[in-house]
Amino acid sequence: MSSGAMSPESREEALAALRATQEHDRELDILIVGGGVVGAGAALDAVTRGLDVGIVEARDWSSGTSSRSSKLIHGGLRYLEMLDFALVREALQERGLLLQRIAPHLVRPVPFLYPLTKRFVERPYVGAGVALYDALSVASGYGRGVPFHKHLSRHGTLRAAPSLKKDAFVGSIRYYDAQVDDARFVVNLVRTAAEYGAHAANRLKVINFLREGERVVGARVRNQEDGTEFDIRAKQVVNATGVWTDETQAMVTERGQLKVRASKGIHLVVPRDRFQSTVGLILRTEKSVLFVIPWGRHWIIGTTDTGWDLDKAHPSASSKDIDYLLEHVNQVLSRPLTREDVEGVYAGLRPLLAGENDDTAKLSREHVVAHPVPGLVVVAGGKYTTYRVMARDAVDEAARALDERVPPSCTEIVPLLGASGFKAKWNKRSRMADRAGIHVARVEHLLNRYGSMTDEVLDIITGSPELAEPLPGADDYLQAEIVYATTHEGARHIDDVLTRRTRISIEAWDRGVSAAPVVAALMAPLLHWSDEQEAREVKHYLARVEAERLSQEQPDDISADSARMGVDDIVPLS
């Protein structure tokens, strides 16, 4: 088994190491609370500085905001209009790092059209903004990683995107950003941190913080799988819980709190053949911008931006949300999309730093790090693209309070697992396919998900050739990937696999219903499930899908939330 593999056995080893911190002089240097992109990034940042690190997540890795984004790594073109040049430059620097050094197997360029509707005024204005965007990416000092922008005429625009209405635009500007499978990226971050020595355990919920006087000295956690509780002691605790920041802070203090507002954004997934285009689209709306993003054999259309104060674990997309996106994208398509074209829907919550303004679309995307009480660092706000900067700043703050001298962050030169050797593996993909006895397109799919670790998946197929078969209703994914998710990527339940290790829950027409029994049968022997537990896992997943479908038929947030809450979050292991 490779280093960094998050197997059922390695989780038990991590639990044992975390329990051992209660012994004299065994405390961690830093305990990270929250397994989203910022928490995972903080774990990698801290452990690569030589610190003893633990990271815990109440549910599954990236099960909150970090698996429900627009899946873009971008500088934030619209922030230029707000004159937030520093934020854009920082994000473009991170984009270049991710594309070229940190995760070239997971982050890749994607072209967009910025359509122009006014004949004379708009092109110089938008063109200057996009030119500045390109210039800032070069000035970041880490290389662009994407081509420069290009102006297109109306004819050129329609050649790139034939399904646009012919009279909707006078031309366009094509520019590039990047995209990522957000949940897969987070799992890779955690695995990389584990490879360097971090103790990582999901399904471990913090129920309180340990105190000695005013100082926080660790956390009490509950194992969501078996209900047991124990203490984890640490010199510093970093709270990276995103939209749950207010709740976790409240366990410690009401003083000096960061205030975080949740903003809901929903996305639709439609088949790629529903309209013709070789590029994505960025469209202005009355509130923000709307992206139409190429996603394999699909398009992702999003997003909305509305305040949310209901259940944070399972934000729901209402019928009103879905209609809003369809209405706006149909303004530019020659053949309108209908509800029947939608194969998947997902909703996520952005953690925005609350200010005077009640409009979530105008709240800050910049991050803040605070030290409200000794021993507790809180990091909040920000955006997915700048996770590494947020993580670095949080660990810097924690390191200042440690007794020993702590080296500076080095994550800008630390590639994630699967990055090193990826280009060489890509060049060998035909030989890899021949050796494994599968089509080269399958190997390309695997390389774009696992990078240079693809050989580990192919080894599973070599040992059990029947696992080269695709999953029912989800032809893009092989059965071997389910085994790998369980033995190497920390998957504990069907939902982890169908929603985050793969994207079957939003990419398949039946949202994974036909795949669920096969997935359960593959996971059961690896996780030592009883027959009853296997059946319960399938039943739970089907109920979840039904609850989400029902929520998406409701007219508003309250009724949608009520429908989705009909299914519990975690299936306890028997």
Side-chain angles (χ1 to χ4, degrees):
M1 185 171 290
S2 72
S3 56
M6 294 194 295
S7 64
E9 295 76 23
S10 68
R11 181 176 180 274
E12 291 302 315
E13 291 169 6
L15 290 174
L18 294 171
R19 284 180 185 273
T21 62
Q22 299 170 74
E23 299 173 18
H24 182 62
D25 287 338
R26 294 284 297 276
E27 65 184 346
L28 299 170
D29 291 318
I30 294 181
L31 172 65
I32 313 290
V33 180
V37 71
V38 176
L44 180 58
D45 188 286
V47 77
T48 52
R49 298 188 196 207
L51 299 174
D52 191 10
V53 179
I55 177 171
V56 298
E57 161 58 41
R59 296 184 296 150
D60 184 29
W61 305 116
S62 80
S63 55
T65 303
S66 295
S67 61
R68 303 161 187 244
S69 73
S70 296
K71 318 207 184 309
L72 291 176
I73 298 295
H74 63 125
L77 191 59
R78 70 189 179 104
Y79 298 118
L80 282 182
E81 203 164 27
M82 303 174 189
L83 306 181
D84 201 341
F85 303 124
L87 179 64
V88 175
R89 179 174 174 170
E90 179 180 79
L92 288 171
Q93 172 179 301
E94 294 304 306
R95 186 189 73 179
L97 271 173
L98 288 163
L99 278 165
Q100 298 188 73
R101 183 185 296 166
I102 295 175
H105 58 311
L106 297 175
V107 180
R108 55 192 56 88
V110 60
F112 285 97
L113 286 186
Y114 190 113
L116 304 171
T117 56
K118 299 180 178 67
R119 188 166 297 279
F120 300 111
V121 181
E122 196 175 18
R123 190 180 289 276
Y125 176 74
V126 176
V130 178
L132 178 58
Y133 197 62
D134 281 344
L136 287 172
S137 71
V138 172
S140 71
Y142 283 92
R144 296 175 39 73
V146 302
F148 282 106
H149 74 282
K150 183 178 180 180
H151 285 259
L152 300 180
S153 65
R154 176 188 285 179
H155 179 69
T157 300
L158 291 173
R159 193 165 58 235
S163 289
L164 294 178
K165 288 180 179 175
K166 291 181 172 52
D167 59 350
F169 310 109
V170 298
S172 65
I173 298 174
R174 187 187 67 203
Y175 76 100
Y176 282 78
D177 258 317
Q179 72 177 171
V180 66
D181 184 328
D182 46 10
R184 172 151 297 284
F185 186 88
V186 173
V187 167
N188 226 347
L189 265 178
V190 179
R191 284 190 62 185
T192 306
E195 181 187 29
Y196 283 100
H199 311 297
N202 55 355
R203 307 291 181 185
L204 214 58
K205 182 178 182 180
V206 170
I207 55 176
N208 214 336
F209 289 105
L210 307 179
R211 308 286 292 271
E212 286 184 3
E214 190 184 16
R215 186 176 188 82
V216 171
V217 294
R220 185 160 185 83
V221 297
R222 177 182 298 127
N223 187 337
Q224 304 273 53
E225 305 279 63
D226 61 16
T228 58
E229 297 179 6
F230 62 95
D231 293 341
I232 304 173
R233 296 185 68 84
K235 296 172 186 173
Q236 290 284 310
V237 177
V238 173
N239 177 12
T241 51
V243 293
W244 286 273
T245 298
D246 291 3
E247 289 87 340
T248 45
Q249 280 186 120
M251 295 181 189
V252 177
T253 180
E254 294 293 330
R255 192 188 69 218
Q257 280 196 354
L258 297 181
K259 295 294 183 184
V260 174
R261 289 267 306 276
S263 167
K264 184 180 74 168
I266 84 142
H267 296 81
L268 309 181
V269 182
V270 301
R272 194 70 180 264
D273 62 9
R274 288 306 186 267
F275 58 90
Q276 284 182 279
S277 179
T278 59
V279 294
L281 304 172
I282 177 172
L283 308 169
R284 299 194 72 118
T285 69
E286 63 275 10
K287 293 182 179 179
S288 184
V289 294
L290 183 73
F291 285 102
V292 181
I293 306 161
W295 182 255
R297 294 199 284 177
H298 316 269
W299 295 100
I300 292 177
I301 301 170
T303 180
T304 56
D305 194 341
T306 54
W308 180 266
D309 56 8
L310 301 169
D311 175 61
K312 292 178 180 177
H314 303 293
S316 304
S318 67
S319 180
K320 179 181 177 182
D321 293 326
I322 295 169
D323 288 343
Y324 171 87
L325 289 183
L326 289 175
E327 176 190 344
H328 279 77
V329 76
N330 283 339
Q331 290 175 7
V332 301
L333 295 180
S334 56
R335 188 191 80 77
L337 297 173
T338 68
R339 292 289 283 264
E340 286 67 40
D341 294 315
V342 176
E343 54 188 344
V345 181
Y346 65 94
L349 301 177
R350 303 176 195 87
L352 303 179
L353 293 173
E356 300 288 322
N357 200 308
D358 286 336
D359 183 356
T360 58
K362 295 178 181 175
L363 292 180
S364 174
R365 298 308 306 273
E366 295 189 50
H367 69 275
V368 171
V369 174
H371 215 141
V373 296
L376 179 68
V377 172
V378 181
V379 55
K383 50 188 283 190
Y384 196 107
T385 302
T386 55
Y387 82 89
R388 195 190 64 82
V389 178
M390 297 174 66
R392 180 195 66 201
D393 291 351
V395 177
D396 279 348
E397 182 66 28
R400 275 193 281 272
L402 294 174
D403 295 335
E404 65 267 32
R405 186 175 177 84
V406 178
S409 174
C410 63
T411 49
E412 76 276 6
I413 58 170
V414 176
L416 299 192
L417 288 176
S420 298
F422 165 61
K423 296 288 175 61
K425 292 285 186 184
W426 182 263
N427 293 339
K428 289 173 58 179
R429 61 193 184 278
S430 294
R431 292 186 182 183
M432 293 169 70
D434 290 342
R435 192 167 61 249
I438 60 177
H439 195 279
V440 67
R442 295 288 192 192
V443 174
E444 290 176 353
H445 158 89
L446 295 174
L447 284 165
N448 282 323
R449 286 168 52 73
Y450 307 99
S452 57
M453 296 185 292
T454 294
D455 284 334
E456 296 173 359
V457 183
L458 296 179
D459 287 345
I460 293 172
I461 292 173
T462 302
S464 302
E466 70 278 7
L467 297 179
E469 290 297 313
L471 290 166
D475 185 63
D476 285 345
Y477 299 96
L478 305 181
Q479 294 184 26
E481 295 182 76
I482 308 308
V483 173
Y484 190 81
T486 311
T487 58
H488 287 70
E489 297 181 334
R492 305 286 297 169
H493 298 280
I494 291 180
D495 188 47
D496 300 345
V497 169
L498 292 176
T499 307
R500 287 171 291 278
R501 305 305 183 279
T502 72
R503 292 307 188 153
I504 293 170
S505 67
I506 59 171
E507 293 176 353
W509 281 108
D510 69 353
R511 304 194 183 182
V513 167
S514 57
V518 176
V519 170
L522 291 168
M523 296 178 74
L526 303 170
L527 293 168
H528 308 295
W529 288 347
S530 64
D531 291 344
E532 292 77 14
Q533 176 69 18
E534 184 179 339
R536 196 155 53 236
E537 287 277 339
V538 175
K539 182 179 179 182
H540 172 268
Y541 184 78
L542 301 189
R544 192 212 106 160
V545 170
E546 188 57 36
E548 288 190 347
R549 286 189 183 276
L550 182 61
S551 71
Q552 290 154 19
E553 296 170 359
Q554 306 307 308
D556 54 47
D557 284 349
I558 293 175
S559 53
D561 180 69
S562 177
R564 178 60 186 87
M565 290 302 292
V567 179
D568 292 336
D569 184 24
I570 292 175
V571 184
L573 292 179
S574 54

